[in-house]
Amino acid sequence: MSEATWWYRGVTFGMVNPHMYYLNKVMSSLFVDTSLPDDERSSFRSIRSITEFWKFMEGPLIDGLYWDSWYGNKQLYSVKNSSRIYSENILLGIPRVRQLRVRNNTCKVYPAFQSLVSDCYSKYTVENEDFSDFGLKRNPEWTHTPSSRTAPWHWGFVGVYRDGGYIVTLSKSKSETKAKFVDLRLNNWISRGTRAVFIDFSLYNANVNLFCIIRLLAEFPATGGLLTSWQFYSVKLLRYVSYYDYFIASCEIIFCIFLFVFIIQELRKVNEFKSAYFRSVWNWLEMLLLLLCFLAMSFYAYCNMQSFLLLGQLLKNTDSYPDFYFLAYWHIYYNNVIAITIFFAWIKIFKFISFNETMSQLSSTLSRCMKDIVGFAIMFFIIFSAYAQLGFLVFGSQVDDFSTFQNSIFAQFRIVLGDFNFAGIQQANWILGPIYFITFIFFVFFVLLNMFLAIINDTYSEVKADYSIGRRPDFELGKIIQKSCFNVLEKLRLKKAQAKEEKKMQNTDLAQRARREGFDESEIQEAEQMKRWKERLEKKYYSTEIQDDYQPVTQQEFRELFLYAVELEKELHYVSLKLNQLMRKLH
């Protein structure tokens, strides 16, 4: 499958280019890092209250969406689709702001405090979500809109949110939008029941043919305060525009052909080798790559189909919010799948570089000590998880690095790499903090990591000793290339007849020679049967397709191998006798 790998890399890098990063960076600096009015130290990245949130909405957000300073304070729209143009980007349709709320009295209050607590709003869940109208019920932004079944859910810091909610569709006029924000703020559109506010809009940059789908999220947890996050998805929804895009399309077609051919080849190998096929790690990697490639092709087909069905309709929808987030969401997942696939495709290169002694020793070392590493990893993660649980329970309420169990695990990996906040740990608990830190460093860093290195070094010494006495892997890149060339020639019918004729002539010569030496026909047939039996064993246990360092064998296979070893020993004894006779004649 190595040929298809290179075509796949062409397809991969045709999807991603550096312009995506620069476009995301520009949008991030415009909407996330711009300072709030009258507060140069605060931005959307650092706001922590409702008051600061409304300052952002009425300041940097409006200024970014209605950027008219480039055109002499004149609102400029594109003639084709009436979308506002600022800088090098086109604002598609109209931005949207929506919030999700929870109902009152959704949390359980201890009986002793029920007389003191009149309102209680729990964290956001689907069961706690508020669907009723509130506030100025005559306006659409105070009326609940049902969520779409096909819309993807959004993972935030403190909750998982679905589509729908209370939606505010902005205006094409900056003054009208600002007046709408002021009206929402004065009428408490954001209140104690608010749990999340989403700001969604999409841009298009024709210079680089990229859509930038932007989502700004402000979460209002049940504990109070405000947490902000953002997503900038730069994707290429219009796939085939330039000549290079059509070249990528040809690579995609060739890749699909290669994928179909290699799937057939692997199925033939499975049918030929049966259970022996699954003894090789490389064959498992081959199957994983084929599965990932097929999954990537399915994602590609689905994304293109959705773009074909929805993109034209979304671009025409200039007087309302066009939901490009759905298309961007699946394109990002497609990009993740091809990223994982190309990673394993690069790993497969190790199979083809064993002609180099150093790389062959490395791969042999890793494969031979794999069982020891797995056993060590179990012991390591038991101790590592115990320390992570200890850190989470002791420091989780005061130190950000240990605020969740996942953060605690990542913090410990950072400690191993030398990045840690000892002062925060000590301040959180001046007795258990130093004890935790010192014992973690001792057991994990000095003991367990050195045990891991000892396992690698010991196995590497064994592999070098085997190489010094000539025990090397049978797999060689030269043999693979030679075999591939012969296969191509045979398929083109340039080598097949010649190879069969040579083999037939060789067998005929051996039989005739045996008859001249006085062997009868029964002995010749028995020898030919023994030869075919040995060739079958060599193909079964020494094939480069299923070769591995250590392969478990059944009792029947052990018997066959034992008989084969006996035959080899007889041949070796016969060759030794002939060699001794020849040496005596020379003396």
Side-chain angles (χ1 to χ4, degrees):
M1 192 175 171
S2 57
E3 297 91 346
T5 300
W6 297 105
W7 291 107
Y8 192 72
R9 288 168 186 162
V11 175
T12 300
F13 293 108
M15 286 287 299
V16 181
N17 58 69
H19 298 300
M20 294 181 175
Y21 168 76
Y22 295 124
L23 182 58
N24 290 343
K25 187 176 180 180
V26 169
M27 294 299 104
S28 176
S29 63
L30 182 62
F31 293 102
V32 176
D33 298 324
T34 303
S35 301
L36 301 181
D38 303 327
D39 190 355
E40 296 294 330
R41 296 176 298 177
S42 299
S43 61
F44 182 79
R45 188 187 300 270
S46 61
I47 58 178
R48 291 295 179 266
S49 66
I50 297 177
T51 303
E52 292 179 342
F53 179 76
W54 282 118
K55 286 184 179 180
F56 166 77
M57 298 285 283
E58 299 174 19
L61 178 63
I62 291 182
D63 294 338
L65 292 175
Y66 302 88
W67 192 350
D68 53 10
S69 59
W70 293 87
Y71 308 102
N73 294 324
K74 295 181 180 179
Q75 297 178 356
L76 182 64
Y77 295 89
S78 64
V79 178
K80 185 176 181 180
N81 59 5
S82 301
S83 297
R84 182 180 304 280
I85 303 176
Y86 61 94
S87 184
E88 301 293 338
N89 304 291
I90 300 175
L91 179 62
L92 302 175
I94 299 176
R96 181 187 72 175
V97 180
R98 68 181 179 93
Q99 73 158 305
L100 296 174
R101 302 172 57 86
V102 295
R103 301 187 310 274
N104 191 7
N105 299 322
T106 50
C107 52
K108 295 182 179 180
V109 181
Y110 190 71
F113 291 94
Q114 288 181 354
S115 60
L116 301 175
V117 178
S118 58
D119 297 325
C120 180
Y121 298 88
S122 183
K123 64 180 181 179
Y124 176 83
T125 61
V126 177
E127 294 78 14
N128 295 337
E129 185 176 351
D130 190 3
F131 301 102
S132 61
D133 302 339
F134 75 107
L136 305 178
K137 300 180 182 180
R138 64 182 182 276
N139 296 331
E141 52 266 22
W142 305 88
T143 304
H144 185 271
T145 301
S147 63
S148 174
R149 293 183 178 180
T150 59
W153 291 46
H154 185 95
W155 287 76
F157 286 127
V158 295
V160 182
Y161 309 98
R162 62 177 181 177
D163 196 44
Y166 302 87
I167 298 175
V168 180
T169 302
L170 305 186
S171 172
K172 291 183 178 180
S173 170
K174 180 177 181 180
S175 58
E176 292 180 4
T177 300
K178 189 168 185 178
K180 183 174 292 187
F181 282 160
V182 172
D183 181 68
L184 294 175
R185 173 170 56 85
L186 295 177
N187 289 280
N188 294 324
W189 188 68
I190 299 177
S191 61
R192 290 182 59 187
T194 303
R195 286 293 170 263
V197 176
F198 294 85
I199 305 170
D200 296 304
F201 54 96
S202 304
L203 306 168
Y204 176 67
N205 191 306
N207 299 334
V208 292
N209 187 27
L210 289 177
F211 289 80
C212 186
I213 291 84
I214 300 175
R215 168 166 288 184
L216 308 177
L217 171 61
E219 294 180 81
F220 300 82
T223 57
L226 191 150
L227 301 173
T228 58
S229 59
W230 48 88
Q231 289 180 344
F232 297 92
Y233 290 156
S234 291
V235 293
K236 191 174 183 179
L237 299 180
L238 300 175
R239 294 295 306 277
Y240 309 113
V241 176
S242 63
Y243 291 111
Y244 179 71
D245 295 335
Y246 288 105
F247 168 74
I248 296 298
S250 64
C251 292
E252 293 169 350
I253 295 173
I254 296 173
F255 170 75
C256 293
I257 297 173
F258 269 113
L259 179 60
F260 178 74
V261 171
F262 282 114
I263 289 177
I264 295 177
Q265 288 186 356
E266 290 304 311
L267 292 177
R268 289 178 177 175
K269 290 179 183 178
V270 173
N271 183 54
E272 179 181 359
F273 295 107
K274 307 299 181 182
S275 60
Y277 175 87
F278 300 98
R279 294 175 187 162
S280 175
V281 176
W282 297 116
N283 290 335
W284 282 100
L285 180 60
E286 195 79 42
M287 293 178 64
L288 177 62
L289 275 173
L290 290 175
L291 178 62
L292 288 173
C293 289
F294 182 78
L295 185 63
M297 190 173 64
S298 301
F299 268 93
Y300 170 80
Y302 179 77
C303 291
N304 281 320
M305 181 181 66
Q306 293 296 327
S307 297
F308 177 77
L309 295 175
L310 300 177
L311 189 58
Q313 181 181 356
L314 292 174
L315 291 175
K316 293 179 182 178
N317 194 10
T318 60
D319 295 326
S320 61
Y321 168 73
D323 191 2
F324 286 91
Y325 187 81
F326 175 79
L327 296 177
Y329 180 84
W330 286 107
H331 273 78
I332 294 300
Y333 267 86
Y334 168 63
N335 185 69
N336 294 339
V337 171
I338 62 175
I340 296 173
T341 307
I342 204 67
F343 169 79
F344 284 108
W346 276 104
I347 295 298
K348 191 184 172 183
I349 294 179
F350 280 101
K351 180 180 178 180
F352 302 101
I353 58 176
S354 60
F355 65 93
N356 181 274
E357 184 173 340
T358 302
M359 301 306 299
S360 179
Q361 290 179 3
L362 173 62
S363 59
S364 298
T365 300
L366 294 177
S367 61
R368 186 175 296 187
C369 68
M370 187 59 62
K371 293 181 180 179
D372 295 331
I373 290 178
V374 171
F376 168 81
I378 294 174
M379 179 183 65
F380 176 83
F381 281 105
I382 288 175
I383 299 176
F384 200 82
S385 300
Y387 272 101
Q389 191 70 43
L390 174 64
F392 169 63
L393 295 175
V394 176
F395 318 117
S397 61
Q398 301 181 56
V399 183
D400 180 63
D401 291 341
F402 296 87
S403 58
T404 64
F405 183 69
Q406 294 83 354
N407 288 347
S408 182
I409 293 176
F410 296 142
Q412 289 184 161
F413 278 114
R414 290 168 52 195
I415 291 175
V416 172
L417 297 175
D419 180 16
F420 54 86
N421 181 18
F422 177 74
I425 297 174
Q426 186 179 30
Q427 185 177 3
N429 194 312
W430 67 276
I431 296 178
L432 292 179
I435 294 175
Y436 161 85
F437 183 79
I438 293 172
T439 56
F440 177 80
I441 291 294
F442 177 78
F443 285 109
V444 175
F445 190 78
F446 289 108
V447 178
L448 294 179
L449 290 183
N450 283 285
M451 286 179 60
F452 175 75
L453 295 177
I455 293 172
I456 300 293
N457 289 331
D458 184 61
T459 308
Y460 182 70
S461 300
E462 294 179 1
V463 171
K464 290 205 69 175
D466 291 344
Y467 273 66
S468 64
I469 61 177
R471 294 173 58 187
R472 301 171 184 270
D474 294 333
F475 179 84
E476 294 182 5
L477 183 63
K479 293 181 180 179
I480 293 297
I481 296 175
Q482 184 179 8
K483 184 179 178 181
S484 300
C485 293
F486 282 143
N487 290 336
V488 172
L489 292 176
E490 287 179 0
K491 291 178 180 179
L492 295 176
R493 297 183 179 181
L494 299 176
K495 200 75 177 178
K496 184 176 182 180
Q498 182 181 356
K500 283 188 174 182
E501 187 67 26
E502 289 178 355
K503 187 174 182 181
K504 183 178 180 181
M505 291 178 60
Q506 184 179 6
N507 293 335
T508 304
D509 292 342
L510 290 174
Q512 292 177 357
R513 183 177 177 183
R515 292 187 182 96
R516 288 196 300 267
E517 294 291 336
F519 292 95
D520 56 19
E521 290 297 328
S522 62
E523 291 177 331
I524 295 175
Q525 292 179 2
E526 184 179 356
E528 290 179 348
Q529 291 177 358
M530 180 62 68
K531 183 180 179 181
R532 288 194 296 268
W533 175 72
K534 290 167 63 176
E535 289 177 351
R536 181 178 63 83
L537 289 179
E538 289 179 357
K539 181 179 180 181
K540 183 175 182 181
Y541 296 106
Y542 294 93
S543 173
T544 57
E545 299 294 340
I546 60 172
Q547 193 273 335
D548 205 349
D549 288 343
Y550 296 101
Q551 299 183 22
V553 295
T554 63
Q555 186 175 1
Q556 177 65 24
E557 291 172 338
F558 177 77
R559 181 177 178 275
E560 291 180 351
L561 290 172
F562 179 77
L563 294 175
Y564 182 58
V566 172
E567 293 297 326
L568 290 178
E569 186 177 1
K570 290 179 182 179
E571 291 184 3
L572 180 61
H573 181 66
Y574 176 77
V575 172
S576 299
L577 291 177
K578 289 291 185 181
L579 182 61
N580 290 334
Q581 292 176 2
L582 180 62
M583 295 299 294
R584 283 196 296 268
K585 289 181 180 181
L586 291 176
H587 289 295

